[in-house]
Amino acid sequence: MPHLFRPYADTVARAVLIAILVVPFAAIAAGYWLSASPYETEQTITVDQPVPFSHEHHVGGLGLDCRYCHTAVETSPVASLPPTHTCMTCHSQLYTQAAMLAPVRESLADNEPIHWNKVNRLPDYVYFDHSIHIAKGIGCTTCHGPVATMPLMRQAAPLTMGWCLNCHRDPAPYLRPASEVFDPDWQAPADQSQRGIILAHKNLDNAHLTDCSVCHR
Amino acid sequence: MNKQLRLDQANMRGPPNSEVDRRAALKLFVSGAALALASCGRPAEQIVPYVEIPDGMTPGLPMRFASALPLAGYGRGVIVTSVEGRPIKVDGNPRHPASLGSTDVFAEATVLSLYDPDRSQAPYSGGRVQDWSAFEAALQPRLDKARARHGAGLALLTGRITSPTLIAQIEAFTKALPQVKWYRYEPSEDDAIRNGAILAFNRPATLLPRFADARVVLTLDADPLGAGPEQIRFARDITQARRTHVPDQSLRLYAVEPAWTLTGALADHRLALRPELVRNVAIEIARSLGASVPELKGPPEAEHFAKAAAADLTARQGGGLVLAGPRQPPEVHALCHWINNELSAPVDFIAPVDPLNIGGIASLKSFVADARAGAIETLMILGANPVYDAPGDLAIADCVAAVPFSAQLGLYRDETAARCTWHLPLTHVLEGWSDIRAFDGTASIVQPLIRPLYDSRTAHQIMALLSNATGPSSFDMVRGYWQQAGKHGGDFEDWWRQTLQDGVVADSAAAKISLPAPQMPEVAPVSGGENFTLAFAPDPSLFDGSFANNAWLQECPKPFTKQVWGNALHLAESDAQSLGVVDGDMVRLVAGKAVLEAPVLVRQGQASHTVATTLGYGRAGAGSLGTAVGFDVYRLRPSDSPWALADVSVSKIGGRQNLLLTQHFFELEGEAKDLQPRFALADLAKKPDLGLSKPGGNPATLYPPHDYDTYEWAMVIDTAACIGCNACVVACQAENNVPIVGPDEIAVGRDMHWLRIDDYVIGGKPGFSPVPCMHCEHAPCEPVCPVAASIHDSEGLNLQVYNRCVGTRFCQSNCPYKVRRFNFYGYADGEEYKSFGDDIVKAVFNPDVTVRGRGVMEKCTYCVQRISRARRAAEKDHRKIHDGEIVTACQAACPTRAIAFGDLSDANSRINALRAEPQAYALLGELGTRPRTTYLARLENPNPDFGKAQS
Amino acid sequence: MSLAAIRTEPTPPEAVRWTLPGARSLDAVNELVTAPLYERQLWSWKAWWLAAALSGALTAGFLVAVYVVFTRGIGVWGVNTSTVWGFAIADYVWWIGIGNAGTLISSMLLLMRQKWRASTNRFAEAMTLFAATIAGIFPIIHLGRPMYFYWLTPYPNTMTVWPQWRSALIWDFWAILSYILFSLIFWYVGLIPDLATMRDRARSKFAATAYGAFALGWRGSARHWQAYETLHLALACLGVPLVVSLHSVVGMDFAASLMPGWQETIFPPYFVVGAMYSGFAMVVCLAAMVRWGFRQEGLITIAHFDVMAKVMLMASIVMGLSYATEWFNAWYGGDRPDRSLVIFEFTGSYAPMFWALLFCNVIAPQAFWIAAVRRSVVAVFVVSILINIGMWLERILIVWNTLSHGYLPSMWRLFIPTVWDWLTTIGSLGLFVLMFLVFVRFIPAISMHEVRKLVDEEGS
C-alpha cells in the first residue's frame, strides 16, 4: 500500500507540537506589548485646538506662570482652563487683528466659550485631584512633560494605572520642594534620592497612597 | 462671600454665561456619564471653560447656598450643594428651627424633582403648547373686566401660603380689588386643631410643645414623629429628652393610636384604639384631674392604660404633656388644652403662622358654593392640585370645570391642569426667589440654585401679572418686601447678605402669646359602632401625593410595612381573620355611595375595626413614574372629618394583588431577639453586663491584624434614637448616585438601597435598625473576591472598586449582613426605569461618586468621597482630620442624631465613647467579622407601675 | 452488609468474564468497534440523526440563552439581592461532578487493575472532557461582566494588578483549567493506538490521512507500546490526585465561606464522592446508549452494569451519611442560624425539592441491594437518571437554601427561576449530548487496544 505521508510530515508534526506550547504565551506577550504601546495609550498624539495656543511661546518664551491661566490648580481637583477674559487681558492690546486669535475675539463678542479639545484624559472612575499633587510637591512637568517646548499640547505620559502606581508606590524620585513645583524646566538634582526621601517623610502618608480609594470611589 | 452679588448677576441680568455654564456642565456631565465603566474606545472629549468666570466660584469645587423648602406650606431650612451650576444635594440648615441641620425624605428628594423630565415646561391650553404672551393676551380682557367690577368674578385658589412676600402681594391685590375671592386649603389640613384652640380660648392659637422640659408625654392619635413640617424638630427634641439613662429624667412616651405611627413605635407604652374611642382616654385623664365627667367604661385595656398614664402625668408636675392629633375632633383638642393647663404642661402658644380667617375645608366649601353659583368667572389656581387632593365629597373637578376661565400654575400638567382652560409651568423651589415661614413663624429667604430649566414663572410673578406690575422679577419683589419689612438697622445690604447666608431671617419667629384659662368643652365618652372606620394619614413616602412622580420616594420602603411603589389597606389581625383575608387579598370597601377595591396588608397591633391607609397614591396625572401607582383614597375623604371615614363596611372579593415589599417575606420572632436587643432603662442601671457581643470583644482569629498608621473609621448607630423616618435612606441615595430599580425589579426581590432599615417585631413591638455596610475588620467579602475588587484600605474601610469588579457576586453571597447590592441590569447605565433614564435626570448625579454600570457590585462606602475630601483638605494645611469633621450623608440627614461617625485611633473621639456604652453591641459579632459599624441597643423607659395601677 | 449481599448473590459464569464469547478474538473486537464507523450501511444511523437533531435544537437554545444573558445582563435570570447565585453555579458544580467519573474510571480503576474498565473508559473519558468543558462555560457566563473574565488570570497588564489568590474562585479557575488540559491529553494518548487501527482500516484516503495524522505515526512496535504504557500509567498516577483535588476545590467554593450550610469541613470529601456518584450515574446512562446504539452487548455486558450499580450503591450510602452529618452538626453545634437553616431545608419553601433529592440520592439506589435490579439494564438506567436529577437538586439547594435563609431574617428572599434559567440548564445538556454524538460518530467509542488486551489476558 502506498505511503500515506511524506517524510516532511514528521517535521510538521514536531512544529505543531512546539507551536501548541509556544503560541499561547507569545500571544499574551504580544497583547501586553500592544496594551502598553503609545498606540493604545494615545500618547504623543498632538491634539489640534480651535486656537493654536502655544505653551512653547507663552511658557517657554514669555515665562508665564502655569497659575496665570490654570488658576484653580492649587485649590481644586481640576486645573481649570482660562476664561476668555484671561486671554483678552493681553490680547486686547497684542495681536488684536491676528487671524489665529479670531476665535478668542468671537468668543468674547458672542459670549460663547471656546471649546478646547481635551489632551490628558482619565476614565470617569478615576478621581484625580491636581491641588493635592501640587501641595505634595509633584510638579506640573512630572506628568505633563516639557510643556515649555510644546507648540501644541500632547499627552506626555502613558496615564496607565501602572504609571500612576509607579509613583504612588515610590514617590521619592519625583518630589520637589514647594518652590519648584511650577518650574517648567525643573530637572531632578543629583542627590534627588536623598532629597526625595526627606520630602516624602515630611509630606506623605505612604500607606494610604496605594489604597484603591485614593483614586477610585 | 458676597453671594448676593453673584446671585443677582445670575438672575437679574440672567447673563448667558451662567446659562452656558449650566448647559455646558450638563453636557459635559452627560457625555461623561455616557462613558461606561472601563470603556475601551475613547470618544473625543472637550473642555468648555467660562467666558467670564462667575465671581467667587472655582471650577471643580462645590458651592453651598442656604434656602428653604416647603412642606404642607411650612418651610424647612436647607443648605443646597451645587456643582458646576447643578444643585445635587440638600442638607439641613443648623440655624433653622425646623431643620436644626437635619432633613427629611422630602427635602432630600427635592433635587430629583427639579430634574424630573415630566415637569411642565410651557404654558398649555386648548390641547396644545402655548407661550406666555398668548396667556397674558387671553387673561388681560378678563382682568380689565374684573377690575371694572372691583374684582368680582375673579378668584384665587391656593394651598397654605406662609410666604410673607406672596401674602403681602395677595393682600395688596385683594385690597385694591375687594371683590376678589381668595380660597386656600391644604390636603394635609389641621382645621380640627385650629378649631380646638378656638373652642378652648375663643381665639385661634398654635400650640408648640416644649419636649425638652417634658417628662411624660401622652399622644392621643397624634404623630409628632411622623412626616410633616415639624417632624425633624419634634423628632430631635423628643429623642434628645430620652437620651439620659436616668429613668425619672428620661421622657416617657405614651401613645394611643388606631394604627402604627412612628410615635407609637418609639413609645414606651402604646394602646391601639379605634379613632372614635381615643377621646375616652382623654376624658379619663381629665376625670383623674378632677373634671366632672363620667368614668370610662371599658375596654379594660383602655381603662388600665388611661389610669396608669393619668397617674404618671399628674405625678410629674409641670412635666406632663398631652397631644391630640388632627384626626380628633375640636372638643378633644379643647379638652387636651384644659388638661395641659391643669398639668401646667410645658407648652407655648403662638398666633397661627398661617394667617387664615377660616379653616381650609370651610374655604374650599365656599369655593364650591361660589363656583356652582357661577360667581367665579376667572380662577387662578396657584400651585395647588384640588382636583386630585380635595375631599371627594366636594366634587371639586366639576366646579373647576364649570369656571369659564381657569388657569393653574403648577409643576406638572396634573389632574387639575386637565380641568383648567390654561396650565402654566411653575418655577421649581430650587429655581426661583421666594420666602417662607417655618411652623414656628421663622422666616427664610428661598434662593435659586440654578436658572429656571424651563420657561416657568413663580407665584410672585403671577401675582405681579394679575396686578399689572410686569416689570419686577421675583428677586426684586422678595428683596423689596424685606427692604421694608426686615428688621435691618438701616444697613439693608449687610442685613440681606447675612440673612441669605444664614438661611433664616433673624428673630422672625412668632412671638409667644398668653391665653386665658381654657374652657372645659362638652365631651362625653363614646363606644365604637359595629362597622369599620377608615383612618387616613399622610404617606410616609409621598406625603399628600405631590411627590408621586419622585422615583426616590416611590421606592423608599415605608416604615413597618416596607412597601414600595404602592399603598394598601391596613387591617388588624383579628379583622383579617374574621374576613378571611391575607396580605395581598383584594377587599371591597363601601362607605355610602363610595366604593373602593384595594389589596389588604395585615398589621399586627392595629386597632380592630379600623382600616388604615395613606394618601398620595392613585394619581391620574402625576407623570410617567407616579401615575396609576396604588389607589386613590382622596375620593373617599369626607370634608367634615378629613382624617377618618366612619361607618365603612369591608368585604372580601376574589383576586389578589402582589404587594411590593422589600422585607418581611418571613417573620421569625425568635431570630430577632439577638439581632435587635432591647433593654429597659431600669435594667441598664441594674446590670452593667447585658450579655451583648461587644464592639471590642472579638473572637480569636488566625488572620494577622491590619496595621493602621493614620485613621480608623467607624460608625455607631443608636437604635434607641432611630425613629425609622428613612431620611438616611434617601440621603444616601442622593449622595451616592444610588439608582432606583422600578416595581418590576422589586417584585423579583432586587433593590439598590445601600442603607436599609431592618424592622424587627419583638413582643408585638416594631423596632428599627439601620443597616449600612459593616466595614468588617475581617470582612468575609474580601478573601472571596477573585479580582480584589472588594478590598481593605489603610484606614480600615472595606472598599468596593467598581471598575475592577467582574460581578462574581461571591462577596454578597458570603456577606452575613447582605448589605451589598448588585446591578443585575444597568439601573443607572442605559437600562433605567422609565423616565429615570432621561439625560436631564443624570444632572442629579454626584460627580464625586462613580456611576455604576451593569454587572457591578456596589455598597455603602462610608461616603469615602467625603472622607477623601476632608483628608485632602487636612493634608493641604498639614493637620489631622478633626473629630466630627467628616459627616456621612446618612449622619447629616438623621433628625435624631442617631448616627455617629469618627476615628477609632483617636482615643478622645466621640465614637470611642459611644462604643464604650454598656448597651453598645456588634451585630452578629460572634461571627468574628469585627464590624466597624456597631450599634447601641434600643432602650425603653416603661412605667414600673404600669399594670399595677389598675389592680 | 453489602459484602454479605454480594456473597449471597448467585454469580453467573459471565461475571468473571467481561466479554461475551462472540467478542473474544482480536479481530472480532476491532470489527465490533470499527464497524459502526466504516460499515454504516450495516448500522442504522436513524437514531443518531434523530438525537443529533434534538440535541442540536437544544444547543441552539443554549446559545440563544447565552446571547440574551450577554446582551441584556444576568438580570434575565431569577437571581436577586439575597440569592445572588442560582442555576449557573449549580449547573457548574453538577457538570464538574459528571466530569469527574471518566478520569476516575480510567485512572483509578487502571491503577487498581480493574479489568472491566477496558470497554467503558473511552467514552467515559470523552464524557469527562465534554462535561468539564461545559462546566467551564458556566463560571464565565454567570459573571456580571463576562468580558473581563480574564482578570481572574495572572497575565501581565498595564494596571499592574493581579488576581486575589485567597479566593476559592481562583483556585477553582486553575483546577478546572488543569483538569480540562489533563483530560484532553489523557484521552488523546489513550486514543493513539486506536487511531492507528482506524487509519489502517480506513476505506478512503482522506479518512486514512486524517486518522493517520492524529495517530502520530503509530506503528505498534514494541518500543511504541512500551513508551505508551509508561506514559499512560504516569498520566493515570497524575490523574487520581487531580480528580480528588478538583472537586475538593469546588467544595471549597462554598466551604471557604462564612455562611450557614456552607462553612463545613465535610464539604471537600463530600463533594468528591458526590461528583463520583453523579459521574458514575452518567457513565451508566451513556454505556446503556452505546451498548444499544452500536449493538455492543458483546463488549459492554450485564456484568458491567452490575459492578457499576454496586459502586453507586456504596456512594449513595456515603452521601446519606454526609447529609446526616450536616444535620447532626447543626443540632450539636447549636448555632441559631445553622439550626434554623436545617429546619428551613426540611420544612421551608424548598422542602419538596429537598425531599425529592433525598429520595433520588439516598432511597432509590437502595434498590441495588437486589441483584435482579443491578442486572437489569433498564432498572440501572432509570435509577441512574434519578441520581443525576437528585444530584442536580442537591447542588441547586446548596445554593438556594443558604442564600435564601442567611443570618438576617430581614434579607430572606426566595429564588424564582425564569425561562432563561431553564434554557441555559437544559440547553447545556443538549450541547453535551451533541458533542458526545459527534464523538461516537468519528472516534471508536470503545478502546480497542485495551479490550484486545483484556481478551488476550482472559483468553478465548
Side-chain angles (χ1 to χ4, degrees), chain C residues 2-293:
Chain C
S2 66
L3 287 173
I6 291 160
R7 231 181 277 103
T8 54
E9 168 207 340
T11 47
E14 285 82 1
V16 292
R17 303 291 302 265
W18 297 102
T19 50
L20 294 187
R24 287 176 197 158
S25 80
L26 304 190
D27 286 341
V29 171
N30 291 353
E31 193 54 38
L32 276 171
V33 176
T34 56
L37 302 169
Y38 284 136
E39 289 154 31
R40 216 156 299 142
Q41 65 279 18
L42 301 184
W43 302 90
S44 134
W45 283 88
K46 284 204 183 59
W48 190 92
W49 282 114
L50 202 65
L54 194 66
S55 53
L58 285 178
T59 309
F62 180 70
L63 296 178
V64 171
V66 171
Y67 172 79
V68 169
V69 169
F70 279 178
T71 48
R72 283 173 55 195
I74 62 165
V76 298
W77 287 335
V79 280
N80 63 44
T81 296
S82 297
T83 320
V84 283
W85 284 351
F87 278 26
I89 295 291
D91 295 346
Y92 154 69
V93 180
W94 188 71
W95 277 118
I96 274 289
I98 306 273
N100 260 2
T103 318
L104 207 78
I105 290 179
S106 12
S107 51
M108 199 176 283
L109 300 186
L110 175 71
L111 297 176
M112 291 175 174
R113 304 247 187 293
Q114 290 292 320
K115 293 208 180 94
W116 60 271
R117 60 174 282 285
S119 52
T120 54
N121 66 342
R122 168 65 44 76
F123 59 79
E125 286 168 33
M127 170 193 83
T128 289
L129 194 54
F130 304 149
T133 315
I134 292 175
I137 297 175
F138 279 99
I140 295 176
I141 61 172
H142 110 288
L143 292 178
R145 302 202 295 166
M147 59 283 204
Y148 297 122
F149 77 93
Y150 59 88
W151 285 357
L152 273 69
T153 65
Y155 71 101
N157 59 67
T158 56
M159 301 178 286
T160 64
V161 286
W162 301 101
Q164 209 273 93
W165 298 102
R166 287 185 302 165
S167 169
L169 291 187
I170 294 290
W171 314 339
D172 221 18
F173 177 85
W174 293 107
I176 304 171
L177 190 63
S178 47
Y179 187 70
I180 291 180
L181 288 177
F182 168 81
S183 318
L184 185 63
I185 295 165
F186 193 54
W187 181 68
Y188 176 65
V189 168
L191 256 175
I192 292 175
D194 281 8
L195 289 172
T197 316
M198 294 298 291
R199 174 197 60 199
D200 301 342
R201 300 171 69 94
R203 306 293 166 86
S204 71
K205 181 100 173 23
F206 174 77
T209 322
Y211 287 118
F214 285 100
L216 298 178
W218 175 273
R219 289 186 310 281
S221 70
R223 193 159 148 281
H224 282 179
W225 278 114
Q226 193 263 349
Y228 167 82
E229 290 295 341
T230 327
L231 176 59
H232 198 243
L233 210 59
L235 284 175
C237 298
L238 270 179
V240 175
L242 206 51
V243 166
V244 175
S245 72
L246 169 65
H247 228 74
S248 305
V249 169
V250 175
M252 277 184 250
D253 285 352
F254 301 98
S257 79
L258 195 67
M259 299 304 288
W262 285 2
Q263 189 190 25
E264 302 189 18
T265 45
I266 193 179
F267 260 39
Y270 145 57
F271 266 56
V272 173
V273 176
M276 190 195 75
Y277 189 37
S278 57
F280 257 88
M282 187 59 90
V283 171
V284 169
C285 301
L286 297 176
M289 289 302 182
V290 172
R291 184 172 188 267
W292 168 78

Side-chain angles (χ1 to χ4, degrees), chain B residues 37-40 662-668 670-672 674-675 703 745 748-752 756 758-760 771 780 782-788 790 802-810 812-818 820-825 831 854-857 923-924 926-927 929, chain C residues 69-86 88-89 142-149 151-152 155 157 159 161-170 252-254 256-259 262 336-337 340 344 349 402-414:
Chain B
L37 282 177
S39 66
C40 22
T662 62
Q663 280 188 29
H664 304 310
F665 304 105
F666 305 82
E667 290 295 354
L668 262 166
E671 311 261 349
D674 331 346
L675 302 175
Y703 284 104
E745 288 293 287
V748 294
R750 299 170 187 165
D751 56 342
M752 289 309 280
R756 69 172 193 268
D758 281 359
D759 164 16
Y760 293 114
V771 184
E782 286 169 12
V784 297
C785 177
V787 292
S790 169
Y802 311 121
N803 44 303
R804 179 66 175 169
C805 177
V806 296
T808 67
R809 313 190 292 297
F810 204 163
Q812 167 74 338
S813 63
N814 200 29
C815 174
Y817 309 93
K818 290 284 175 279
R820 299 176 148 258
R821 296 294 178 266
F822 188 71
N823 291 272
F824 293 99
Y825 289 116
E831 290 170 292
R854 186 179 81 196
V856 172
M857 188 65 75
L923 186 60
L924 298 176
E926 66 275 13
L927 296 180
T929 53
Chain C
V69 169
F70 279 178
T71 48
R72 283 173 55 195
I74 62 165
V76 298
W77 287 335
V79 280
N80 63 44
T81 296
S82 297
T83 320
V84 283
W85 284 351
I89 295 291
H142 110 288
L143 292 178
R145 302 202 295 166
M147 59 283 204
Y148 297 122
F149 77 93
W151 285 357
L152 273 69
Y155 71 101
N157 59 67
M159 301 178 286
V161 286
W162 301 101
Q164 209 273 93
W165 298 102
R166 287 185 302 165
S167 169
L169 291 187
I170 294 290
M252 277 184 250
D253 285 352
F254 301 98
S257 79
L258 195 67
M259 299 304 288
W262 285 2
R336 172 186 61 81
S340 158
F344 181 74
S349 321
T402 293
L403 291 181
S404 299
H405 198 88
Y407 284 103
L408 295 184
S410 63
M411 290 302 287
W412 288 349
R413 291 178 189 184
L414 292 180

